[in-house]
Amino acid sequence: MSERKVCLVTGGASGIGEACARAFAARGDIVIVGDIQDAKAVAVANDLGAQCLALHLDVREERDFEDACRIAQERYGRLDVLVNNAAIVGTLGPIASIPVEDWDYSQNVILRSVFLGMKHAARLMTPRQSGAIVNIASAAGMISGYGPHIYNACKAAVIQLTKSVSLELVEQGIRVNVVCPGNVETPIHTGVTDDRWKARMEKIRAEHHEDQAMPRMAQPAEIASAVCWLASDESSYVNGHALVVDGGMLAGRPWRQQPPFLREFHPTRR
Ligand SMILES: NC(=O)c1ccc[n+]([C@@H]2O[C@H](COP(=O)([O-])OP(=O)(O)OC[C@H]3O[C@@H](n4cnc5c(N)ncnc54)[C@H](O)[C@@H]3O)[C@@H](O)[C@H]2O)c1
């Protein structure tokens, strides 16, 4: 059996990040849960086992990434996996109405965070010539119309940044990949982080039933299993890859919404 990995998950207190933390722990890995929701991060880490740790990690702050990497090194002697997961939807509304400060804040959380995480993880991983970084982008980074302008733009940049950095770090034994989820049932859609999110989710869930190829949203664990695979040695020849996990959303128009002449059988004319 391979050695247990030391994994840092940003935004690990909720949604996809929490599911990743639980999936890593379930296969015996050590998890550092980084988040700004401190109480939730502690609750998740406590649930995962005595070796796991919660850290206050604001992904806008370079100092917080430095501290997280230092703590990983001091406590566990290494960092094997970084999941750059934390994000927000970002500033909403028409382009002409977006304040520059809101744009910058959003960009710092969604995009610059991924740069900072990779920068500091690479410093720790390079001497060992080993590691895996998994960034979380979105299907919205590949097609517009599923998020606000800032989100679409930053997620597209996360995909391209992943590919660019993967070419550099693979020469240091570090693989860098990105997961692009479709619609997942998490608080991010609801504008709240407390228990009210589940009630708000019901309306959103119904909307997604309509226009998705697979007529349901994903559960966070369905994204986490893809993240875990990319972080594991089972994907040892996968690098610079954008893995779409969207139930077929990006594949095109759902079959049931296609016009009858496409769906009905007619003998081919010869
Ligand atoms: N839910 C979806 O449908 C969906 C789809 C595609 C991509 N994603 C991406 O998945 C990732 C996780 O989102 P989620 O859906 O689990 O949302 P979520 O809101 O459940 O979790 C996001 C976590 O990030 C944390 N966070 C926010 N700002 C932070 C900061 N400055 N520093 C540190 N942590 C911060 C939050 O506290 C929260 O715990 C995000 O990158 C998101 O863009 C989500």
Side-chain angles (χ1 to χ4, degrees), residues 54-263:
L55 279 186
H56 179 85
L57 195 170
D58 185 333
V59 294
R60 294 171 302 153
E61 301 294 335
E62 182 162 27
R63 170 73 65 84
D64 286 4
F65 275 112
E66 280 169 353
D67 287 348
C69 288
R70 182 180 43 75
I71 289 165
Q73 180 64 30
E74 285 172 3
R75 252 179 114 118
Y76 308 113
R78 64 189 191 281
L79 180 68
D80 298 303
V81 173
L82 168 66
V83 182
N84 277 313
N85 164 77
I88 53 174
V89 169
T91 185
L92 298 152
I95 193 76
S97 71
I98 299 172
V100 170
E101 300 74 25
D102 290 17
W103 180 274
D104 289 346
Y105 181 95
S106 306
Q107 196 211 292
N108 287 345
V109 180
I110 308 171
L111 173 59
R112 198 182 74 138
S113 58
V114 178
F115 149 63
L116 289 177
M118 291 199 287
K119 172 180 174 179
H120 290 282
R123 287 183 173 180
L124 207 52
M125 291 172 173
T126 297
R128 298 184 74 241
Q129 294 284 291
S130 160
I133 297 174
V134 183
N135 298 324
I136 308 297
S138 172
M142 295 181 160
I143 187 171
S144 293
Y146 291 89
H149 301 314
I150 182 74
Y151 190 82
N152 299 339
C154 287
K155 291 301 190 181
V158 168
I159 295 167
Q160 190 61 9
L161 180 63
T162 301
K163 293 184 181 188
S164 183
V165 174
S166 74
L167 300 178
E168 176 198 338
L169 293 187
V170 77
E171 295 184 5
Q172 311 299 327
I174 303 161
R175 294 182 301 109
V176 188
N177 292 287
V178 58
V179 171
C180 302
N183 289 300
V184 190
E185 285 198 24
T186 75
I188 205 169
H189 294 277
T190 66
V192 292
T193 53
D194 58 34
D195 286 344
R196 286 172 298 166
W197 82 270
K198 285 192 176 146
R200 293 192 183 188
M201 200 69 231
E202 272 167 35
K203 185 168 169 283
I204 294 162
R205 197 184 289 131
E207 284 163 8
H208 285 299
H209 284 182
E210 291 295 308
D211 63 357
Q212 295 222 167
M214 198 179 282
R216 66 172 179 85
M217 298 176 80
Q219 291 303 312
E222 295 178 288
I223 311 303
S225 60
V227 174
C228 273
W229 178 70
L230 286 173
S232 78
D233 301 337
E234 286 165 33
S235 61
S236 52
Y237 203 60
V238 182
N239 185 49
H241 183 62
L243 178 54
V244 174
V245 186
D246 71 345
M249 185 181 110
L250 289 184
R253 182 161 52 168
W255 174 259
R256 63 189 176 278
Q257 289 178 7
Q258 293 177 23
F261 81 92
L262 286 177
R263 288 184 288 138

